Amino acid sequence: MKKKKHNSILILSLLILLSVYMCYAYKPILARINNINTDKDSVSVTITDANFPAVISLDNSSQDSTLPDITAEIAGNLDTQSILLPVDNVFQLPELPTGCEITSLTIVLNFLGFPVDKEYMARDYLQKSDPFVGSFNDYFIGSPWNESAWGCYAPVITKSANRFFNDQNSKLIAYNISGSSMEALCTQVESGNPVIVWTSRYLDIETTKYPIKLKNGYTDYWYSNEHCVVIIGYDLQKGTLTVCDPLDGVVERDLNTFAARYAEFQRMAIVIK
């Protein structure tokens, strides 16, 4: 009887030791799953279903055929019906999976004669914040090196550009022209100025606006499938825009569809001159 009791105690002790070992052995793995860090930046991001808006999947069958046709109106007010500026694209991948905004600025800076690198701009001129601390209008939320980061809006990139120009003793100025009509953007391109704009990654999907509660009590808003590109041309006879897309390269987009998504993103835009 004593021998059986001794064996039972021994087995129980071994089970306790095994449980403790498993807990500590798997703790680092769980930590890597729940906390995503970047080697390039001190900002860390923890993403959960409760705090990160779901990305709407692409559905090519959902094209909205009821979009207003603004091409003819724009064509009637512009002298040049077709133009393409000689702007080279810069891809955000693989280095900056969520850095479309700073990459778009880099595209324009390269066009203007500043041979800067997107990572240099992201490291030295992009102000960053942890989630739920800063606003998308004040900071890039997360790190652009992190594929689970969020992003930023026009005021952030405007400040990044003007800080860069100040350091370069340049007379160029970045202007936040958010609220401008699509015709006004085409007028800028007609004048030789590429335009940085906020739009959707998937143009044929309507944008969803998510409220984000910050730690200071302020409610900010995040837009689904947020993306940033540079308009470098248009063809009003074809009804298209040409953009430098940090993910897709130099591509044509349907002008009416692009205008609809641009409006959903509060018509955020930047021009440098």
Side-chain angles (χ1 to χ4, degrees):
M1 187 69 179
K2 288 183 178 180
K3 186 174 182 180
K4 289 183 178 179
K5 184 177 181 180
H6 175 75
N7 289 340
S8 298
I9 294 173
L10 181 60
I11 292 172
L12 181 60
S13 300
L14 288 173
L15 288 173
I16 292 173
L17 288 172
L18 181 60
S19 298
V20 172
Y21 170 77
M22 293 292 289
C23 178
Y24 280 93
Y26 283 90
K27 187 174 181 182
I29 297 174
L30 293 174
R32 287 195 296 271
I33 293 173
N34 293 320
N35 295 280
I36 306 171
N37 296 299
T38 174
D39 294 329
K40 293 292 186 72
D41 205 278
S42 61
V43 176
S44 62
V45 182
T46 300
I47 301 300
T48 69
D49 290 339
N51 68 27
F52 191 69
V55 175
I56 299 175
S57 60
L58 175 62
D59 180 3
N60 290 323
S61 64
S62 63
Q63 177 72 38
D64 187 353
S65 60
T66 63
L67 293 174
D69 186 356
I70 62 172
T71 305
E73 180 182 349
I74 295 175
N77 294 323
L78 294 183
D79 294 329
T80 306
Q81 299 298 293
S82 177
I83 190 171
L84 181 62
L85 302 179
V87 182
D88 293 327
N89 189 60
V90 176
F91 286 99
Q92 65 188 84
L93 297 176
E95 296 87 359
L96 303 178
T98 50
C100 57
E101 303 96 342
I102 199 67
T103 302
S104 292
L105 174 57
T106 302
I107 290 170
V108 177
L109 292 178
N110 288 176
F111 169 73
L112 293 171
F114 300 96
V116 293
D117 174 74
K118 63 190 177 187
E119 290 191 274
Y120 164 74
M121 292 300 300
R123 182 178 60 251
D124 289 7
Y125 291 100
L126 184 63
Q127 291 185 290
K128 311 169 194 68
S129 172
D130 284 324
F132 313 110
V133 177
S135 164
F136 298 110
N137 286 308
D138 297 320
Y139 302 96
F140 183 100
I141 305 303
S143 165
W145 286 273
N146 189 322
E147 63 183 10
S148 299
W150 295 21
C152 65
Y153 296 154
V156 179
I157 297 302
T158 305
K159 288 189 291 186
S160 296
N162 286 327
R163 286 176 57 217
F164 173 80
F165 292 138
N166 183 66
D167 288 349
Q168 299 294 315
N169 294 317
S170 172
K171 293 182 179 180
L172 289 170
I173 298 175
Y175 297 92
N176 184 348
I177 59 170
S178 296
S180 297
S181 67
M182 184 56 62
E183 179 182 325
L185 301 189
C186 289
T187 300
Q188 289 291 342
V189 175
E190 184 181 39
S191 300
N193 305 314
V195 184
I196 301 171
V197 294
W198 272 252
T199 183
S200 175
R201 175 69 182 96
Y202 305 120
L203 292 181
D204 53 359
I205 302 292
E206 290 188 7
T207 304
T208 301
K209 184 179 180 181
Y210 294 92
I212 305 294
K213 192 79 169 181
L214 303 184
K215 291 182 179 179
N216 62 7
Y218 174 77
T219 299
D220 205 356
Y221 292 92
W222 181 248
Y223 297 89
S224 62
N225 302 313
E226 181 262 0
H227 195 38
C228 190
V229 302
V230 182
I231 300 177
I232 64 169
Y234 59 80
D235 189 324
L236 299 177
Q237 291 185 335
K238 294 169 59 179
T240 60
L241 295 174
T242 301
V243 303
C244 280
D245 188 318
L247 286 174
D248 295 334
V250 178
V251 292
E252 285 189 342
R253 303 298 191 200
D254 178 76
L255 191 152
N256 292 321
T257 307
F258 191 97
R261 300 294 87 83
Y262 168 65
E264 291 169 354
F265 276 83
Q266 306 304 304
R267 294 184 170 89
M268 287 188 282
I270 300 170
V271 69
I272 296 172
K273 52 187 179 178

